[in-house]
Amino acid sequence: MPSTSTKPVEDSVKKVNDELAVGSDLEFQHKWWRFTRGLWIFFAAVIVADLLGCFGRGPLANATARTPDNGIVVKYERIERYGAPSILRIDFGQPAIQNGQVRLWVGESLVKTLGAQRVIPQPDQSIVGAGGISYVFPISSTPASVKFALQPVAPGIYELPIRAAGSPPINLRIFVMP
Amino acid sequence: MAGVLRGVFGYCFLVLIVRTAGRRPGKQIAPFEFVFVFFAGGLTLTAMVGDDRSLTNAFTIIISIALTHLVLAYLQRRWKTLGLIIDGTPLVLLKNGKWQVEAMRHMRIQDDDVMAMARDNGLERLDQVAYAVLERNGEISVIQTPKDQ
């Protein structure tokens, strides 16, 4: 016959008024209430930080970078979110426009990690090489701008170098939240 | 792999949030609390699944959540403190004819909730209740006074 293991019943559950076995652990419960109070303060801080844009999509996340000669002005989100769409906009000033066109070079992280989905407007030319992509945009008048629709493919901190012929380079640092 | 990690994180995060937001599930759940439960669950699901709507992703996430659940259940049996963190401890809400105000305030329970459970147990008045205990599963146990039994 198979044996079944047993053990005696122990009356180890703490009682209330020596009659009702409840097993309350009030010492733990007081610690837990203190912990949850701290946790709610932390949650409130998280919400405030989020509204401010510390985790992207807010005023603190929006950034502008420009070359000293204002040849290129980049409006972007310094804090992006993984998989969330965003727009990186580049405005071109007179120094960047040569012979009615802008020759723009951006680092490969634009496509590889920041997940550029499309360029608006479409460039006349796009050439892959030298650790990045070169675009040629015909421009008839200023102000002129192009937009890159981004959708980051992985969390992390990424450098994004941007350069236009005739204007100094800009190096952006973008943090992608998980 | 990312889906599995997101699944485990999502599960543990929801356990913490539900534990923190209050223990009023089961019979004590009110319609507005349903909103919280479904909303939190739905939003967690979105982040866990991401763009990957494949059956493979669903299977692996479900299995990883089931395993996390099993591991937590095992660990909370091994370590009493973890059990207290995950499930909490029973709390007396009413004894000796007096409300235990601190417990009720922290657990956001009103005397109406206790009376509802008393009625559920066939009692008509609160003076027929000797003890009311908020159990770990969120239900309120009502013990009758001896003379009313």
Side-chain angles (χ1 to χ4, degrees):
Chain A
M1 238 178 96
S3 65
T4 46
S5 60
T6 59
K7 69 174 187 179
V9 176
E10 290 171 21
D11 192 10
S12 58
V13 180
K14 281 187 200 164
K15 292 192 179 72
V16 178
N17 287 351
D18 279 332
E19 57 178 357
L20 181 68
V22 175
S24 254
D25 189 337
L26 283 177
E27 192 187 335
F28 165 82
Q29 195 59 41
H30 280 111
K31 282 182 194 164
W32 178 257
W33 283 330
R34 274 200 301 277
F35 168 72
T36 50
R37 207 174 302 136
L39 200 60
W40 282 116
I41 292 168
F42 171 71
F43 286 163
V46 168
I47 297 299
V48 171
D50 185 57
L51 291 173
L52 290 174
C54 295
F55 310 127
R57 298 292 169 106
L60 290 181
N62 297 329
T64 302
R66 63 182 75 229
T67 55
D69 62 356
N70 278 339
I72 50 177
V73 178
V74 186
K75 289 180 178 158
Y76 68 106
E77 291 183 30
R78 61 165 75 92
I79 304 166
E80 295 264 1
R81 290 180 182 179
Y82 161 67
S86 69
I87 294 288
L88 182 145
R89 175 176 149 171
I90 305 177
D91 295 326
F92 299 107
Q94 205 56 53
I97 302 169
Q98 295 177 334
N99 304 322
Q101 62 180 26
V102 168
R103 303 184 76 85
L104 179 74
W105 178 90
V106 290
E108 62 185 0
S109 58
L110 185 80
V111 174
K112 266 190 170 175
T113 49
L114 295 170
Q117 306 287 306
R118 59 185 192 280
V119 189
I120 309 158
Q122 282 290 310
D124 265 5
Q125 265 188 306
S126 53
I127 304 152
V128 180
I133 307 162
S134 296
Y135 298 100
V136 178
F137 297 97
I139 289 177
S140 57
S141 63
T142 54
S145 63
V146 296
K147 291 176 182 171
F148 290 90
L150 308 181
Q151 196 165 359
V153 296
I157 299 172
Y158 304 111
E159 302 282 340
L160 177 62
I162 299 176
R163 197 168 64 226
S167 201
I170 287 182
N171 198 38
L172 308 180
R173 177 171 287 186
I174 296 174
F175 176 59
V176 179
M177 296 284 298
Chain B
M1 182 181 150
V4 169
L5 295 178
R6 281 201 299 268
V8 172
F9 175 78
Y11 175 85
C12 294
F13 183 67
L14 266 191
V15 167
L16 176 72
I17 289 292
V18 171
R19 262 296 270 131
T20 313
R23 185 171 16 142
R24 286 168 55 93
K27 283 188 179 177
Q28 303 308 313
I29 199 161
F32 86 98
E33 284 159 322
F34 271 118
V35 176
F36 167 70
V37 170
F38 288 123
F39 216 154
L43 283 173
T44 311
L45 182 71
T46 312
M48 283 196 303
V49 173
D51 290 334
D52 189 348
R53 297 192 191 95
S54 65
L55 209 53
T56 310
N57 195 36
F59 278 160
T60 51
I61 290 177
I62 290 168
I63 291 168
S64 64
I65 290 172
L67 273 177
T68 311
H69 183 75
L70 270 180
V71 168
L72 274 185
Y74 170 76
L75 291 178
Q76 77 180 98
R77 273 193 62 195
R78 288 284 308 265
W79 286 289
K80 190 171 168 262
T81 308
L82 186 66
L84 288 169
I85 290 170
I86 293 172
D87 281 339
T89 180
L91 289 170
V92 176
L93 303 174
L94 190 157
K95 73 173 175 186
N96 303 334
K98 286 186 179 155
W99 295 111
Q100 305 302 298
V101 178
E102 186 187 31
M104 292 180 72
R105 181 168 50 85
H106 280 291
M107 304 313 290
R108 293 177 286 279
I109 286 176
Q110 297 170 350
D111 46 2
D112 287 349
D113 298 320
V114 177
M115 193 56 228
M117 281 312 295
R119 284 196 300 274
D120 205 44
N121 282 272
L123 304 182
E124 294 157 2
R125 300 180 313 277
L126 274 173
D127 61 14
Q128 293 173 299
V129 178
Y131 295 99
V133 180
L134 177 66
E135 301 293 353
R136 297 193 306 174
N137 62 5
E139 294 205 1
I140 296 172
S141 301
V142 172
I143 314 292
Q144 276 180 265
T145 48
K147 62 177 189 256
D148 286 305
Q149 281 171 353

